[in-house]
């Protein structure tokens, strides 16, 4: 059968004339369609031009971000060393373990092994591994050996980076001087904080290419090279520091005390040779630290110093010509000022010389001397040696203490301040103030860093007054003084005891701060040592009983460490009978 088209053609009918193919749409519709197609092509062309010509940098940056990464390069923190070059703090290389969650894959057994190496609970690790973040830290400051074992597991997406961890060889012995750093190796306490700008340096960065599994496949180069920190040399002598800490620990244990503090100064330069506090902490393992452990009592804590302030009252009397070491004062057992009564802890004669007042530590005698001054004269003496002012040690949190303006002193306040009550100081302030006796009337600034040359001194009292005070304070450690237990074989020693009631809620309570401040050798003083024992509770609480022996043991070790020649024979050291010593 022939096709219809052939039949139509045979009958002379045109194929294009078929009613099926007849165009029924208006011509403008095709023009619109053609215009839309042209517009679409034009839009594609504009977009292509925009992407390839005008957005090249943007697109290239997006592309680079997929594979090009910047790695931070930590600077090596400077070492802290003592005056003899012994390392007190250094940075050890450790690793940071992180993960790129989208690239990570591992079996359950591998995850458990990883958690064991990282010392993490498995649920905590799994939570980090499925994070929607681009990068997650798993653990910071991982030992290099552990990091190598993790790397051998070959887990995709695991990232290992280099960083540093601070190590303190002396541990708790020098903790309050050095302080510590955080996980970013930035100083948080002590000299680590105070000298952050010197020790910290500046971190650098490096560009690398990573594959989709987070592995570095090409090192592009430095963006910025790290600038390592500079080493810091402290004034501390490690031998003296260990001695001070050990003797302080022994005294705290022996007297069941709450706390204690010791500072040793170089008389010639003002350098701090040792500084110890208890309670303390180990900066290498700082879990569960408390405020009691962190407190640097030598510098940041204030207390009422008690009788260790009496030499300044007496020195003022000598300087003003009010008295000489031989001037006699009436010293009844109790003295009434207004509604208050002042007494002495030990019985003594009713008439004492100025020298005996210091030797026997008479409150009444000191008040008799102090009441001959105008309040401003005493205030000037106290401020001239640094009381009421924060010492410029370059150490965070140094306390200024409390010294009220003389304009508001009542007679009873002037009286109690003369023997160290009603005024608050830090232990380092008292130690520095004693320089006027050890340095022939001069003072120098203190330093926790080793000095290349001695600082410029400032005169406070005359050389004659300083010499007279040394003679009187040397009798304090004699057999008839309050501190015979402060004697050091082979060396002449001078100093002063202090025993102060503690103030709680505005009232004095039966708790004590026992202290001793002294220097040696008297013929040519080289060191000043200040000792404070807080709340001794084992039956003894006087400074001569509790703090003086600590001074003696530290001084003996320090003078030997410094190769200071003896200035007296061992036979000249006279110790009191045990029964006498127990009563002081």
């Amino acid at each position: 059968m022939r096709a219809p088209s052939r039949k139509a053609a045979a009958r002379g009918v045109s194929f294009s004339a078929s009613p099926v193919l007849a165009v029924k749409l208006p011509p403008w519709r095709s023009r619109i369609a053609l215009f839309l197609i042209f517009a679409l092509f034009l839009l594609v062309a504009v977009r292509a031009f925009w992407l390839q010509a005008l957005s090249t940098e943007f697109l290239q940056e997006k592309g680079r971000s997929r594979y090009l990464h910047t790695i931070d390069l930590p600077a090596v923190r400077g070492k802290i060393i003592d005056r003899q070059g012994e390392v007190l703090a250094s940075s050890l290389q450790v690793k940071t373990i992180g993960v790129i969650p989208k690239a990570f894959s591992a079996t359950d057994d591998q995850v458990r092994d990883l958690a064991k190496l990282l010392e993490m609970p498995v649920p905590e690790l799994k939570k980090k591994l499925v994070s929607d973040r681009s990068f997650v830290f798993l653990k910071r400051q991982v030992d290099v050996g552990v990091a190598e074992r993790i790397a051998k597991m070959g887990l995709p997406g695991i990232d290992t980076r280099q960083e540093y961890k601070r190590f303190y060889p002396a541990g708790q012995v020098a903790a309050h001087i050095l302080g510590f750093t955080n996980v970013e190796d930035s100083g948080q306490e002590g000299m680590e904080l105070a000298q952050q700008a010197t020790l910290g340096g500046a971190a650098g960065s490096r560009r690398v290419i990573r594959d989709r599994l987070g592995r570095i496949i090409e090192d592009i180069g430095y963006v910025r090279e790290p600038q390592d920190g500079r080493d810091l040399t402290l004034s501390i002598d490690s031998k003296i520091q260990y001695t001070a800490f050990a003797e302080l620990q022994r005294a705290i244990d022996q007297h069941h005390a709450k706390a204690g503090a010791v500072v040793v100064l170089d008389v010639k330069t003002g350098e701090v040779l040792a500084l110890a506090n208890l309670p303390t902490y180990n900066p290498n393992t700082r879990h569960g630290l408390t405020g009691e452990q962190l407190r640097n009592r030598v510098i940041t804590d204030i207390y009422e110093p008690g009788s260790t302030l009496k030499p300044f009252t007496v020195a003022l009397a000598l300087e003003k010509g009010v008295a000489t070491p031989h001037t006699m004062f009436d010293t009844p057992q109790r003295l009434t000022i207004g509604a208050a009564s002042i007494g002495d802890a030990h019985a003594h004669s009713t008439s004492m010389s100025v020298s005996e007042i210091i030797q026997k530590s008479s409150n009444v005698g000191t008040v008799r001397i102090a009441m001959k001054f105008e309040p401003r004269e005493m205030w000037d003496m106290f401020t001239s040696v640094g009381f009421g002012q924060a010492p410029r040690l370059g150490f965070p949190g140094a306390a200024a203490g409390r010294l009220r303006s003389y304009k508001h002193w009542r007679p009873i306040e002037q009286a109690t301040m003369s023997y160290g009550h009603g005024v608050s100081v830090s232990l380092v302030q008292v130690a520095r103030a004693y320089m006027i006796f050890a340095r022939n009337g001069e003072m120098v600034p203190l330093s926790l860093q080793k000095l290349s040359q001695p600082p410029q001194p400032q005169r406070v009292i005359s050389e004659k007054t300083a010499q007279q005070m040394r003679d009187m304070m040397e009798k304090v450690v004699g057999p008839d003084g309050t501190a015979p237990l402060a004697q050091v074989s082979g060396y002449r020693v001078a100093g002063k005891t202090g025993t102060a009631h503690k103030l709680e809620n505005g009232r004095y309570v039966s708790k004590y701060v026992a202290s001793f401040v002294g220097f040696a050798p008297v013929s040519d003083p080289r060191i000043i040592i200040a000792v404070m024992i807080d709340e001794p509770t084992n039956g003894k609480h006087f400074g001569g009983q509790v703090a003086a022996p600590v001074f003696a043991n530290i001084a003996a070790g320090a003078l030997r460490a410094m190769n200071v020649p003896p200035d007296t024979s061992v036979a000249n050291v006279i110790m009191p009978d045990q029964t006498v010593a127990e009563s002081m």
Side-chain angles (χ1 to χ4, degrees), residues 26-35:
W28 59 268
R29 294 284 295 273
S30 62
R31 294 188 184 96
I32 292 176
L34 182 62
F35 175 79

Side-chain angles (χ1 to χ4, degrees), residues 102-150:
K102 292 181 180 180
F104 180 80
S105 63
T107 64
D108 288 343
D109 289 341
Q110 288 176 320
V111 171
R112 283 192 291 270
D113 291 342
L114 181 61
K116 184 177 180 179
L117 288 171
L118 294 175
E119 299 179 346
M120 294 175 59
V122 174
E124 180 183 346
L125 177 60
K126 287 184 175 180
K127 184 178 179 180
K128 291 185 176 184
L129 294 175
V130 298
S131 172
D132 57 359
R133 296 165 58 188
S134 60
F135 179 83
V136 178
F137 285 111
L138 295 181
K139 190 171 183 180
R140 307 287 299 273
Q141 298 187 342
V142 177
D143 289 343
V144 174
V146 175
E148 290 176 350
R149 293 175 63 184
I150 293 174

Side-chain angles (χ1 to χ4, degrees), residues 379-394:
W379 185 87
D380 285 342
M381 168 57 81
F382 288 166
T383 56
S384 69
V385 295
F387 298 150
Q389 308 153 57
R392 296 180 181 178
L393 270 169

Side-chain angles (χ1 to χ4, degrees), residues 94 105 224 348 416 535 554:
V94 291
S105 63
R224 183 179 62 256
H348 52 69
T416 58
E535 292 187 26
I554 296 173

Side-chain angles (χ1 to χ4, degrees), residues 156-170:
I158 292 296
D159 181 87
T160 303
R161 300 181 181 181
Q162 179 179 302
E163 63 178 1
Y164 296 93
K165 180 179 180 180
R166 208 66 165 162
F167 176 64
Y168 303 92

